[in-house]
C-alpha cells in the first residue's frame, strides 16, 4: 500500500490517511510516534481523530479531509477495512474500496485510478520533496558554507553526490534510510545548489573537499560517520576513508571505483589513454563547458539524466568519446530532447532552479584539479582501507565500467559488493528500490557487527 501511495502521487494524485486514534501517553508511545512519523513522510496528509475532534465514520471528518486536499467527493477514492466507514463515504459521493485482500484492493484501486499498481517491474520508493525535508547550513570557513538536508534519527550517514547533481539526487534514498533507523545528512557539495561556489579552482581539490567535510562533521558534532558517495562523491568518500579513517565508520561508493594513484603516471596522460574519459579533457579550459551547459539548462539536464534503455534512435545517449574533436559534449544533439523516465518534470525544474543560481563553474572546477589531486594522493600514505566498505556497480554505466573495480579487494579487505545489471550511471534515480535494498542490508549488517543499535520506523 505504501508503494501504491507513492506511485499515485507520482501520477498526480494526493494521498491522505485518516486515523481513529487517541492521545497516546502509554509506556509504548514511542511505537505510535515512529509509525505516525513514517506515515506522514509517505502521504500528503495525515489526520488523527484525536487532533480533529471527530472520527470515522462521521461525515464531518471526511469533509475535513476533502477540504484540506481541495477535492470534491466525486474526485476521491476511499479505502477502508471496515464497511461502516465506507458506507458514509459512498453516500457522500466517493468511490469506495473494501480492503480485505491487499492484491484485490490494489486491483480495484488500479481500475478506478487508471494508474498501474500491480505487475510493475519495480516500484519507486517514497521520495522527499524539497519542501518536505529539513534544510540547514554549516559555515566551513570564512565565506564558505555547506547546505544540507536532514532526516531521521540514529547512527549518522552522510550522502555525497556527483556531477552534475545536488542533494536532490538522493531523494529516493533519504526517506528509506531514515525509515531504516539512520540519521541521514545529504549534502550539496561545494559549488552546487545552495552551498557556496567559490570561483577559485583550487577550492575544489580533493584535499580541500575532504577538509571541508571534516569541518562539517566537527560543526555538526559528529565524531564518526558512514559515508556514501556517487560519481565524484565516490571519490570523496574513498579519499576520506584513506586520509581520515578515524572519522569514517564505514564507506560505500556507487559506480565510482577506488582508483589508486600511480606516482609514475601523470593523471592527464592516464585520462588520455581511456577514450571514454575524453569529456574530462574537454572540461579543463574554464568557460568552455560552462557556456555549453548553461546555454539551455533544461536541455542540459534532459541530455544528461537518461536511464539505460531510454535511448531514442533519434536521440542516442551522450557519447563521451571524441568530445574535444567534436567541439562539445552536446554537439549534434537535439535542441529539444525528450525527458527520460527517470527524470520527472518537477525534478527537472528543481535542477534548473538550482543551477540557475551559480551555474556550472563550481561543479566543473572539480575536474580541473586532476594533477593537484594526484600529487596529494601520492604524498599521502597509501595503506589499505580496513573499515567495512561497499562497492555498488551498474552494468550499463557507459563511463564508470564495472570492470574498473577489478582487484579492489586487494586494497579493501572488508569489501562487500552489490551489482545492478540493468542500470546506467544515475543509479539513485534509475534503480532506487534495488539500490535501497542493497544499502540498507549492508548498513544493518555493518552496524550490527559493531553492536550499534538501530531502531527502524516501519
Amino acid at each position: 500500500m505504501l508503494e501504491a501511495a507513492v506511485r499515485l502521487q507520482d501520477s498526480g494524485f494526493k494521498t491522505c490517511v485518516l486515523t481513529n486514534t487517541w492521545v497516546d501517553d502509554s509506556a509504548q508511545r514511542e511505537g505510535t510516534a515512529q509509525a505516525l512519523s513514517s506515515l506522514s513522510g509517505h502521504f500528503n496528509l495525515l489526520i488523527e481523530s484525536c487532533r480533529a475532534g471527530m472520527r470515522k465514520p462521521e461525515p464531518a471528518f471526511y469533509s475535513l479531509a476533502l477540504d484540506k486536499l481541495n477535492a470534491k467527493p466525486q474526485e476521491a477514492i476511499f479505502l477502508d477495512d471496515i464497511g461502516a466507514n465506507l458506507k458514509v463515504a459512498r453516500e457522500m459521493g466517493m468511490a469506495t474500496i473494501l480492503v480485505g485482500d491487499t492484491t484485490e484492493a490494489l486491483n480495484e484501486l488500479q481500475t478506478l485510478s487508471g494508474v498501474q499498481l500491480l505487475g510493475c517491474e519495480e516500484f519507486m520508493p517514497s521520495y522527499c520533496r524539497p519542501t518536505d525535508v529539513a534544510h540547514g547550513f554549516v559555515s566551513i570557513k570564512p565565506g564558505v558554507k555547506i547546505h544540507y538536508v536532514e532526516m531521521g534519527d540514529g547512527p549518522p550517514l552522510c550522502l555525497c553526490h556527483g556531477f552534475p547533481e545536488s542533494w536532490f539526487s538522493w531523494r529516493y534514498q533519504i526517506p528509506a534510510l531514515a525509515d531504516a533507523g539512520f540519521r541521514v545528512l545529504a549534502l550539496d557539495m561545494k559549488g552546487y545548489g545552495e552551498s557556496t561556489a567559490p570561483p577559485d579552482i583550487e577550492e575544489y581539490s580533493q584535499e580541500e573537499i575532504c577538509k571541508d567535510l571534516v569541518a562539517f562533521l566537527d560543526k555538526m558534532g559528529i565524531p564518526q560517520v558512514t559515508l556514501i558517495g556517487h560519481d565524484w562523491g565516490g571519490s570523496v568518500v574513498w579519499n576520506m576513508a584513506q586520509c581520515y579513517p578515524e572519522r569514517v565508520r564505514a564507506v560505500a561508493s556507487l559506480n565510482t571505483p577506488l582508483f589508486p594513484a600511480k606516482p609514475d603516471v601523470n593523471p592527464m596522460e592516464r585520462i588520455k589513454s581511456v577514450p571514454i574519459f575524453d569529456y574530462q579533457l574537454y572540461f579543463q579550459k574554464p568557460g568552455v563547458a560552462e557556456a555549453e551547459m548553461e546555454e539551455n539548462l533544461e536541455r542540459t539536464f534532459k541530455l544528461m539524466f537518461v536511464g539505460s534503455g531510454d535511448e531514442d534512435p533519434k536521440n542516442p545517449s551522450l557519447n563521451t568519446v571524441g568530445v574535444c574533436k567534436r567541439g562539445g559534449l552536446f554537439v549534434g544533439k537535439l535542441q529539444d530532447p525528450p525527458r527520460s523516465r527517470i527524470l520527472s518534470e518537477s525534478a527537472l525544474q528543481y535542477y534548473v532552479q538550482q543551477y540557475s543560481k551559480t551555474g556550472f563553474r563550481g561543479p566543473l572546477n572539480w575536474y580541473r584539479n586532476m594533477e593537484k589531486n594526484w600529487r596529494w594522493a601520492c604524498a599521502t600514505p597509501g595503506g589499505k582501507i580496513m573499515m567495512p566498505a561497499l562497492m555498488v556497480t551498474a552494468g550499463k554505466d557507459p563511463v564508470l565500467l564495472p570492470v574498473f573495480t577489478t582487484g579492489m579487494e586487494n586494497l579493501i579487505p572488508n569489501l562487500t559488493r552489490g551489482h545492478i545489471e540493468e542500470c546506467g550511471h544515475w543509479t539513485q534515480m534509475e534503480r532506487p528500490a534495488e539500490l535501497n535494498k542493497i544499502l540498507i542490508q549492508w548498513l544493518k549488517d555493518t552496524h550490527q557487527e559493531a553492536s550499534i543499535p538501530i531502531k527502524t520506523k516501519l
Side-chain angles (χ1 to χ4, degrees):
M1 280 295 180
L2 291 178
E3 293 173 338
V6 173
R7 191 167 289 275
L8 287 167
Q9 289 176 49
D10 285 343
S11 300
F13 284 81
K14 293 179 181 178
T15 59
C16 172
V17 174
L18 289 179
T19 66
N20 280 351
T21 55
W22 59 91
V23 175
D24 188 355
D25 61 352
S26 70
Q28 292 76 39
R29 63 189 181 278
E30 183 180 357
T32 301
Q34 293 280 11
L36 292 174
S37 175
S38 186
L39 284 172
S40 68
H42 287 82
F43 292 84
N44 297 109
L45 186 63
L46 171 66
I47 306 178
E48 300 174 71
S49 60
C50 62
R51 313 295 174 189
M54 55 189 83
R55 66 193 299 275
K56 295 185 291 185
E58 295 174 17
F61 197 27
Y62 298 173
S63 295
L64 173 65
L66 291 170
D67 288 343
K68 288 184 175 293
L69 292 169
N70 194 27
K72 300 175 182 177
Q74 294 76 16
E75 298 172 324
I77 304 171
F78 191 97
L79 294 84
D80 206 295
D81 60 349
I82 299 176
N85 292 339
L86 295 175
K87 182 175 181 292
V88 173
R90 204 161 40 244
E91 290 172 349
M92 294 177 66
M94 289 184 262
T96 61
I97 297 174
L98 178 64
V99 180
D101 178 80
T102 301
T103 301
E104 290 181 6
L106 288 175
N107 190 47
E108 287 188 61
L109 182 56
Q110 181 174 264
T111 301
L112 289 172
S113 66
V115 177
Q116 185 179 0
L117 303 173
L118 296 171
C120 304
E121 287 186 10
E122 182 180 34
F123 269 107
M124 298 298 280
S126 295
Y127 66 94
C128 55
R129 297 167 181 80
T131 54
D132 296 338
V133 66
H135 295 251
F137 292 87
V138 171
S139 294
I140 299 300
K141 57 187 178 183
V144 177
K145 63 182 180 181
I146 294 296
H147 167 253
Y148 67 96
V149 302
E150 182 174 9
M151 183 181 290
D153 180 45
L157 311 177
C158 190
L159 311 183
C160 303
H161 67 79
F163 176 91
E165 304 178 81
S166 77
W167 75 265
F168 193 58
S169 293
W170 300 103
R171 59 192 177 276
Y172 292 107
Q173 284 70 52
I174 295 168
L177 296 174
D179 283 346
F182 296 92
R183 178 189 181 189
V184 185
L185 301 122
L187 278 61
D188 271 338
M189 305 303 286
K190 185 194 284 183
Y192 291 86
E194 302 288 340
S195 292
T196 306
D200 297 340
I201 291 175
E202 294 76 13
E203 282 283 337
Y204 301 88
S205 70
Q206 286 292 289
E207 182 178 11
E208 289 300 316
I209 296 294
C210 287
K211 287 179 180 177
D212 291 344
L213 188 48
V214 171
F216 175 84
L217 296 175
D218 288 342
K219 295 289 182 72
M220 295 294 290
I222 300 173
Q224 198 174 64
V225 69
T226 295
L227 295 174
I228 304 174
H230 170 253
D231 190 76
W232 265 115
S235 294
V236 173
V237 302
W238 289 132
N239 282 321
M240 281 291 295
Q242 287 187 308
C243 300
Y244 296 93
E246 69 282 357
R247 305 306 298 267
V248 185
R249 185 187 306 282
V251 59
S253 177
L254 315 181
N255 302 62
T256 308
L258 173 64
F259 288 114
K262 295 183 178 181
D264 57 339
V265 180
N266 183 284
M268 301 312 293
E269 294 304 318
R270 193 175 180 182
I271 290 172
K272 290 176 183 178
S273 70
V274 184
I276 55 176
F277 288 168
D278 188 66
Y279 71 99
Q280 299 183 27
L281 300 175
Y282 169 68
F283 287 169
Q284 293 306 306
K285 187 175 181 180
V288 176
E290 285 94 330
E292 182 181 31
M293 293 185 164
E294 293 171 7
E295 182 179 3
N296 183 335
L297 291 174
E298 282 199 17
R299 177 176 182 248
T300 292
F301 290 113
K302 286 195 287 187
L303 289 173
M304 294 290 290
F305 294 146
V306 178
S308 63
D310 280 1
E311 296 87 354
D312 188 310
K314 298 179 181 178
N315 184 42
S317 59
L318 288 177
N319 183 4
T320 61
V321 177
V323 178
C324 294
K325 185 176 181 180
R326 291 199 306 273
L329 188 60
F330 303 152
V331 171
K333 305 298 292 181
L334 295 175
Q335 287 301 310
D336 186 18
R339 179 170 47 80
S340 171
R341 61 182 170 81
I342 71 171
L343 182 68
S344 68
E345 181 61 30
S346 61
L348 170 63
Q349 294 307 319
Y350 187 73
Y351 282 111
V352 169
Q353 172 199 332
Q354 293 294 291
Y355 278 76
S356 296
K357 298 175 182 178
T358 54
F360 274 84
R361 179 174 174 83
L364 286 165
N365 277 345
W366 284 60
Y367 289 91
R368 295 167 181 156
N369 281 280
M370 297 299 191
E371 292 195 358
K372 187 176 179 64
N373 294 341
W374 171 64
R375 288 193 296 271
W376 177 59
C378 290
T380 302
K384 292 183 177 182
I385 294 175
M386 301 305 297
M387 67 197 64
L390 173 69
M391 179 70 237
V392 181
T393 48
K396 300 296 187 291
D397 190 324
V399 176
L400 295 175
L401 309 179
V403 70
F404 291 161
T405 70
T406 301
M408 281 178 57
E409 285 81 358
N410 296 329
L411 297 170
I412 313 172
N414 295 316
L415 182 67
T416 299
R417 286 185 177 269
H419 180 74
I420 307 175
E421 180 58 31
E422 297 303 321
C423 183
H425 183 70
W426 314 107
T427 312
Q428 308 103 298
M429 293 187 272
E430 185 172 352
R431 288 288 182 266
E434 198 168 346
L435 173 62
N436 291 353
K437 183 178 179 180
I438 293 171
L439 289 175
I440 291 170
Q441 186 60 60
W442 173 74
L443 286 166
K444 287 184 175 179
D445 291 345
T446 297
H447 285 74
Q448 285 172 1
E449 288 175 7
S451 300
I452 300 170
I454 302 169
K455 290 185 179 180
T456 60
K457 281 189 176 181
L458 288 177

